[in-house]
Amino acid sequence: MSAISHRRHHFPPVRFTDRLEAWGAASLFCGFKLLPLDCASALGGALARWIGPFLGVSKHARRNISRAFPELSETEIARVVAGMCDNLGRLAAEYPHLRKIRVFEPGGRVETHGFEHVDRAVAAGRRMIVFSGLQAPEQRSLTEAAGVAPVAPE
């Protein structure tokens, strides 16, 4: 038996506030699932634009944007952060609706370009590596639809 198997993992106790946050998030997801997809997406974006600027992550985003783009004014940085919050809010609100989103449906919510290259590689039995800066639900659907197993970074 190795020394590792004798180690005990000590996790901090679950606080009441942790439970409250989890309950709130689960309630929001249930609420979003009850709404039509477009309505849920719009509401998620609006809520995140309203709450997001007060969160610590927005402070980090503002600082990083100002460092990367020193020529942007505070107003422009605030607009970028609001867009970031809107995008994340919409993403979270659309998550309960993923089964309804059809990736390859003509005129659908997701546009695909250049997928013929993937089709040719799959037909030829060739292996592929798909690089992505963000594994969004839509991208995951694309890779899974092609029979490609996404690899998560460690």
Side-chain angles (χ1 to χ4, degrees):
M1 221 178 214
S2 71
I4 294 174
S5 64
H6 292 291
R7 290 186 188 166
R8 292 193 185 270
H9 294 284
H10 295 285
F11 296 104
V14 178
R15 299 174 305 179
F16 176 73
T17 54
D18 295 333
R19 292 179 192 272
L20 194 60
E21 286 176 9
W23 180 83
S27 298
L28 273 175
F29 276 117
C30 287
F32 288 140
K33 189 171 186 171
L34 294 173
L35 296 172
L37 178 58
D38 288 333
C39 185
S41 181
L43 180 61
L47 285 173
R49 281 192 316 273
W50 181 52
I51 296 169
F54 300 106
L55 301 178
V57 69
S58 293
K59 178 182 174 184
H60 291 290
R62 281 190 292 276
R63 183 176 55 235
N64 289 340
I65 293 166
S66 67
R67 288 177 179 169
F69 302 101
E71 70 278 3
L72 292 181
S73 69
E74 287 298 319
T75 304
E76 291 169 315
I77 291 172
R79 185 180 48 78
V80 170
V81 170
M84 173 195 76
C85 293
D86 179 76
N87 188 41
L88 291 172
R90 286 177 181 275
L91 177 68
E94 291 174 5
Y95 224 81
H97 295 275
L98 279 182
R99 289 198 170 123
K100 298 176 192 172
I101 298 174
R102 301 289 169 243
V103 177
F104 298 106
E105 190 173 282
R109 299 178 73 85
V110 179
E111 256 183 62
T112 59
H113 297 279
F115 223 76
E116 65 276 5
H117 305 293
V118 175
D119 291 338
R120 272 199 315 269
V122 169
R126 292 179 37 210
R127 295 178 180 256
M128 296 171 283
I129 297 176
V130 178
F131 289 93
S132 173
L134 170 68
Q135 190 68 31
E138 296 84 4
Q139 292 166 322
R140 185 174 305 259
S141 298
L142 286 172
T143 55
E144 289 172 354
V148 179
V151 178
E154 294 290 322

